[in-house]
Amino acid sequence: MKKLLMSTGIILISAAVYAAAVNGWDKATWGMSQVKVTALYQADGIQEGKDNTLVIPSVEFEGSRYVATFYFTADKLSKVALFMDNSNKSIFYSMVDLFTKKYGAPKKKSDNEYIGYAIWSFPKTKTTISC
C-alpha cells in the first residue's frame, strides 16, 4: 500500500476548524463525526480505514477517479485526501487550473520532474494538490 501512495497524485483538503472559504469537501463539512460521515456516504461504499480514517474506494471528481480518505481528529472531520491511482501531470495541471480559477493563485507552488504541488491557504483551511 505504501508504494501505491508514494506513486499517486494527491489532492489534500484540510481544516483545523471551520472556514468560510472552504467548509469541507463534497457533502462533508469540517467537524462532522465519523458516524455522520459514514451515514452521509453509505451509498458510496464508505468503509473504515487505518488510523482513524474512513475510505471511499472509488469516487469521481472533475472527470477522474480517486480513492477518498477522510481523516478525523478527536472524532471530528479535519482532512480529506483524494488519491489518484496514477500520477498524471496533465491531471495535476488541470486541477491546479481549476482551483486557481475558483480560489486565486496558490500561496506556494512547485513543479519539477519529480514532484509538483500547489498550496492554497485560507484563514482556517489549507488545500494542497500534489503529484
Side-chain angles (χ1 to χ4, degrees):
M1 184 66 170
K2 287 184 180 180
K3 285 184 181 179
L4 173 67
L5 296 180
M6 290 174 58
S7 65
T8 62
I10 301 171
I11 299 173
L12 184 64
I13 305 168
S14 64
V17 191
Y18 302 95
V22 179
N23 195 33
W25 177 77
D26 192 42
K27 301 179 279 187
T29 57
W30 307 133
M32 278 187 162
S33 70
Q34 287 188 18
V35 170
K36 287 184 180 178
V37 173
T38 299
L40 196 59
Y41 289 98
Q42 190 170 25
D44 298 303
I46 198 164
Q47 52 196 265
E48 288 187 34
K50 295 181 180 180
D51 300 323
N52 205 30
T53 64
L54 294 172
V55 176
I56 300 175
S58 182
V59 63
E60 185 174 330
F61 180 70
E62 296 297 324
S64 296
R65 306 268 338 138
Y66 299 87
V67 174
T69 303
F70 298 81
Y71 296 84
F72 297 85
T73 303
D75 194 38
K76 294 185 181 203
L77 181 63
S78 59
K79 180 171 42 174
V80 177
L82 301 180
F83 297 93
M84 288 188 282
D85 60 4
N86 61 353
S87 185
N88 184 329
K89 284 280 192 175
S90 66
I91 293 173
F92 167 75
Y93 291 124
S94 295
M95 295 307 300
V96 170
D97 287 344
L98 177 76
F99 276 67
T100 298
K101 287 175 186 171
K102 188 167 184 171
Y103 301 114
K107 185 172 183 168
K108 293 181 183 178
K109 186 175 177 181
S110 172
D111 184 30
N112 63 47
E113 64 183 296
Y114 301 109
I115 189 167
Y117 67 85
I119 300 171
W120 289 263
S121 294
F122 305 101
K124 296 179 182 175
T125 301
K126 183 169 101 174
T127 300
T128 303
I129 300 174
S130 65
C131 70

